[in-house]
Amino acid sequence: MASISYFPITADNDIAFDIPIMFNDALFSAASGTFLQISGSGGDGTNTIKNLCDQLKENIPSFQRFNMPTPSNFQTNIPSDNNLLEYFLNVYSNICKADPVLHYISGELTNVNGTSASIGTLQKTYDAYTAFFAQPQNSDTQTATRMTALRFAFSIDYLNRTGSYARKQVQIQIPLMPENASSDGVFYLDYAQPRFVQLYFYLYNSRPWVLDVMLIDGSASNFVDFKAWINGQQVIEPPAPSDDPYIGAGYPASTAPGGASGGSFNFSEDGITGVHTPGLNLLNTGLITAWRPSKSILAQLAGWLWVTTPGQIVQQLFGNPINAIIGLNIVPVSPPVDGGTNTIKFGVDDSGVACPKITSQHVTVDCGTLTIDPKYGSYMDFAPQTSAELFLPYVGGLPLDVNDVIGKTIGVKYQVDVLSGACVAYVFIDGVLHYQKAGGCAATAPITGSQMPNVVSGVLSIVGSVAGAVASAGASGASTAAKVASGIATGTSVAESAANMMKQSISYAGTISGWAGLLGAQKPYLILSLPHAAIPGGQNTLMGYPAWVSGRVGDFTGYTECTVDRVTATRATDKEVEEIKSLLEGGVIL
Amino acid sequence: MTITFYYNRSDNNVLDKDIQPAFTAPMMGILRDESSILAPVITVEATASTFASVNYAYIEDFDRYYYIEDIDSVRNGLTQIAMRVDVLMSYKQQIRASSALVKRNAYQYNLMLNDGSLAAYADGYVLAYQFSGGFNTENFVLIVAGGG
């Protein structure tokens, strides 16, 4: 089994080296001193490198972030004067946020079997440290290329507690000794499958040491041309910070203009689309009947109700049909009716007035839809810059979330109860119910009703008056008797007196309500308050527009404000790096 | 040290400066004692008027580009030039390769991000839009007790 192990080499100074270098946990297995177990290998060992790469990809998430160039590309781009090049080890260092001070690494990759000495010098590319591993190329006989291990060593220069620079070295050895290697126990490179070997080292200082910059320039050597190609191939991304609450929670990183959204949140709505019609209906129960009379029908009905003949008065004294009226409303809807052949009955009394009878207690009113397009196509179209309120007849104002208005289709429907006048306005956004609000749409007409005790007392008073009048007439002579006789003969004056007394006892059974609704607008309307945006020409080129996307600085052009975690400029001093960051924050033109 | 003088047409916040060589060949200069490479002061054997149209320089030894901040005539035929490093131009390749969170950009943007950069006049628009349908009729409803 091949394995990768690491161990610090003895420090070349007297400062205690407490291994301030901690590798990313992902690189470690439970075994002490081993941070990645590489298992499995080709029978003859020729695929070990390939397997190692594959398993690195499987075991190190960040390893997968790199695109492996195809062998053909790799071969094609090998400079002609570097025909020894076969592999390189790309080491990516990342300084954890706790210690943002730059570290500089140098080192070399060494074939430890002694057949070749230094096989490459660490070259710092943009964000990575790249080492080239050169092997004598002999594609005809693999036996000419043999090795037992790769050893990768590097050093870290830092400013120690005493204020002087110190250098620490770390060496990583990668044995290439598969258990099932060939009889000579050596590893054979597989020329047919050249691969990148990339390792990520997450370096941080576990102690509050002051790590300062120590510039170590790597020489370009003879790989300078190839380095340019590598730089063109690499897309160096710092690993996503583990403490980002969104990363790992299903929210992908924003990598494109316009951002991205995601997560496991269920955006599928339940889709409430209709208005509710109660299942029970008071009509047609025999207890209540609702009619939809016209004005002329009401006039006929009034003529029947307000009787003037004494016989009818006496008949209605103890059974006035007006008392059977529950209500007379004006509603802004047309309740469905039958053929209009039935006559209105008050209890057992049939008025003989034919009228359309309402067949359904509930009426639905569809007010249609309204589509509001964005004006600016920017955040100016939304809150708090823009606000919206819906006016609903018989209900009132209803503030809307602007997100439910801009670019959406608003629909309004009413469900009206014609008996009570109660109504509910339903507001649909793109066909889905979002709001509902109750109101009243019946204007209740005042209907006179008689209060039975007063009616009775009025009748007794009338009777008393008539008796008194008769007695008085007898006592006062013929003229008076004649008046009474005349009165009795006509009966009208007594009846009028009774009617007048009954009018005095009349009370209003209903109250005037809902009339204001009839006076208001009868169609819903939307009030939209939009800002009057000031948009100077060329604002994007002068100060840009909000982007909030990640990428390489070189991917953008024009005015750009950005934050970089580090600028891997090997020559730059700390002061220069800080100035670069500051300028990028303030805005530069790319 | 070898200094190439330029005329820079770009603003300081431009990463890749539009520069034109001021002279046909680089000039030699001497770094003043105790001078920083970030803000070097170079003495050049030339008259001050030579640099009348010069505002930018590249010092090969430092591998950095510099703004020319001041030109002093020390004496006849000797000019002292104060410079300040232009980190953008000097490290433009590294900057371009750096990973970044771009907060604002001229061409790749999303105007749904509210960063307050859009201004509005005080006189906004208040508009009313009426629905096509509504309550367009009126009817009496007479409700009586008992059967009809």
Side-chain angles (χ1 to χ4, degrees), chain A residues 490-501:
Chain A
T490 60
T492 52
S493 60
V494 176
E496 288 173 354
S497 299
N500 288 333
M501 293 180 69

Side-chain angles (χ1 to χ4, degrees), chain A residues 100-119:
Chain A
V101 182
L102 289 176
H103 297 247
Y104 287 89
I105 300 173
S106 66
E108 63 181 17
L109 192 65
T110 306
N111 184 349
V112 296
N113 70 347
T115 56
S116 64
S118 174
I119 54 176

Side-chain angles (χ1 to χ4, degrees), chain A residues 3-313:
Chain A
S3 64
I4 300 175
S5 61
Y6 83 99
F7 51 90
I9 292 179
T10 304
D12 58 356
N13 56 69
D14 57 357
I15 302 299
F17 186 47
D18 294 331
I19 313 180
I21 303 163
M22 302 295 290
F23 291 96
N24 187 305
D25 290 340
L27 294 173
F28 285 90
S29 70
S32 175
T34 302
F35 63 91
L36 182 67
Q37 296 288 346
I38 302 296
S39 59
S41 62
D44 59 0
T46 56
N47 288 324
T48 297
I49 284 286
K50 177 179 181 298
N51 292 337
L52 187 146
C53 291
D54 292 341
Q55 294 190 40
L56 279 174
K57 290 176 66 176
E58 293 174 0
N59 290 280
I60 307 174
S62 56
F63 199 82
Q64 301 171 9
R65 299 162 71 94
F66 282 75
N67 293 321
M68 293 292 182
T70 62
S72 59
N73 287 339
F74 189 91
Q75 299 281 15
T76 302
N77 287 280
I78 293 176
S80 59
D81 60 340
N82 287 286
N83 58 2
L84 298 180
L85 181 66
E86 283 297 332
Y87 297 95
F88 64 86
L89 185 66
N90 187 355
V91 179
Y92 173 69
S93 67
N94 178 33
I95 310 303
C96 83
K97 292 189 298 183
D99 180 12
V101 182
L102 289 176
H103 297 247
Y104 287 89
I105 300 173
S106 66
E108 63 181 17
L109 192 65
T110 306
N111 184 349
V112 296
N113 70 347
T115 56
S116 64
S118 174
I119 54 176
T121 301
L122 276 179
Q123 299 297 315
K124 185 175 183 182
T125 59
Y126 289 152
D127 274 340
Y129 295 88
T130 304
F132 299 98
F133 170 42
Q135 279 290 116
Q137 183 178 25
N138 186 339
S139 58
D140 296 326
T141 59
Q142 294 183 355
T143 55
T145 304
R146 57 181 61 184
M147 58 190 298
T148 56
L150 294 175
R151 180 177 296 161
F152 172 61
F154 63 91
S155 61
I156 295 179
D157 293 276
Y158 62 98
L159 195 65
N160 62 24
R161 295 188 184 90
T162 62
S164 60
Y165 284 107
R167 172 171 294 183
K168 300 301 179 185
Q169 291 182 323
V170 174
Q171 179 171 295
I172 297 173
Q173 183 165 301
I174 307 174
L176 300 173
M177 185 72 74
E179 292 177 346
N180 298 322
S182 55
S183 57
D184 57 359
V186 299
F187 170 74
Y188 300 98
L189 292 175
D190 182 2
Y191 286 99
Q193 296 291 331
R195 286 287 188 274
F196 285 95
V197 178
Q198 296 170 311
L199 298 177
Y200 295 82
F201 296 91
Y202 299 88
L203 308 179
Y204 62 89
N205 185 6
S206 60
R207 297 187 177 189
W209 290 3
V210 178
L211 291 172
D212 205 346
V213 172
M214 181 72 172
L215 188 63
I216 299 176
D217 277 323
S219 61
S221 74
N222 52 357
F223 298 110
V224 61
D225 293 333
F226 194 68
K227 186 174 75 170
W229 173 79
I230 294 170
N231 292 338
Q233 293 293 314
Q234 300 295 314
V235 178
I236 306 296
E237 294 179 276
S242 59
D243 57 351
D244 188 328
Y246 294 106
I247 301 302
Y251 286 86
S254 177
T255 56
S261 61
S264 58
F265 181 80
N266 183 9
F267 279 95
S268 61
E269 295 185 79
D270 290 332
I272 307 170
T273 56
V275 299
H276 174 65
T277 301
L280 291 177
N281 196 326
L282 285 174
L283 300 179
N284 302 319
T285 60
L287 297 175
I288 289 178
T289 303
W291 307 85
R292 197 183 79 185
S294 63
K295 195 171 182 180
S296 62
I297 291 176
L298 282 180
Q300 294 177 48
L301 202 58
W304 179 79
L305 286 172
W306 298 101
V307 296
T308 56
T309 62
Q312 289 175 315
I313 292 175

Side-chain angles (χ1 to χ4, degrees), chain A residues 236 287 289 291 326-327 329 331 522 526 528 530 532 534 544 546-549 551 554 560-561 563 571 576 585 589, chain B residues 13 63-64 91 96 99-105 110-111 118-119 121 125 127 129 133 135 139 141-143 146:
Chain A
I236 306 296
L287 297 175
T289 303
W291 307 85
I326 295 174
N329 298 332
V331 294
Q522 298 299 298
L526 179 75
L528 194 62
L530 283 166
H532 184 181
W548 211 253
V549 294
T560 303
E561 292 178 16
T563 298
R571 296 180 292 106
E576 286 178 311
E585 288 279 354
I589 297 175
Chain B
N13 66 342
D63 194 13
R64 285 169 169 84
Y91 303 104
R96 284 197 173 105
S99 298
L101 172 61
V102 176
K103 294 181 286 189
R104 300 180 68 83
N105 184 253
N110 187 334
L111 291 177
L118 298 178
Y121 298 108
Y125 305 108
L127 308 168
Y129 302 95
F135 298 95
N139 283 284
V141 174
L142 177 66
I143 310 161

Side-chain angles (χ1 to χ4, degrees), chain B residues 80-147:
Chain B
Q80 190 168 271
I81 303 173
M83 307 179 186
R84 177 172 58 86
V85 67
D86 176 5
V87 292
L88 294 179
M89 185 72 166
S90 299
Y91 303 104
K92 58 184 179 183
Q93 295 299 335
Q94 291 88 341
I95 291 172
R96 284 197 173 105
S98 298
S99 298
L101 172 61
V102 176
K103 294 181 286 189
R104 300 180 68 83
N105 184 253
Y107 305 109
Q108 298 187 56
Y109 49 77
N110 187 334
L111 291 177
M112 290 300 172
L113 291 165
N114 185 355
D115 68 344
S117 60
L118 298 178
Y121 298 108
D123 55 337
Y125 305 108
V126 180
L127 308 168
Y129 302 95
Q130 191 177 52
F131 284 71
S132 58
F135 298 95
N136 51 13
T137 184
E138 293 169 1
N139 283 284
F140 292 107
V141 174
L142 177 66
I143 310 161
V144 298

Side-chain angles (χ1 to χ4, degrees), chain A residues 388-401 412 414 423 425-427 435-440 517 520-521 523-527, chain B residues 131:
Chain A
E389 182 166 6
L390 191 62
F391 172 79
L392 298 165
Y394 303 102
V395 171
L398 177 65
L400 300 182
D401 186 334
V412 174
Y414 280 76
C423 64
Y426 294 74
V427 180
Y435 307 87
Q436 57 180 333
K437 191 173 182 181
K523 291 182 179 179
Y525 59 89
L526 179 75
I527 297 293
Chain B
F131 284 71

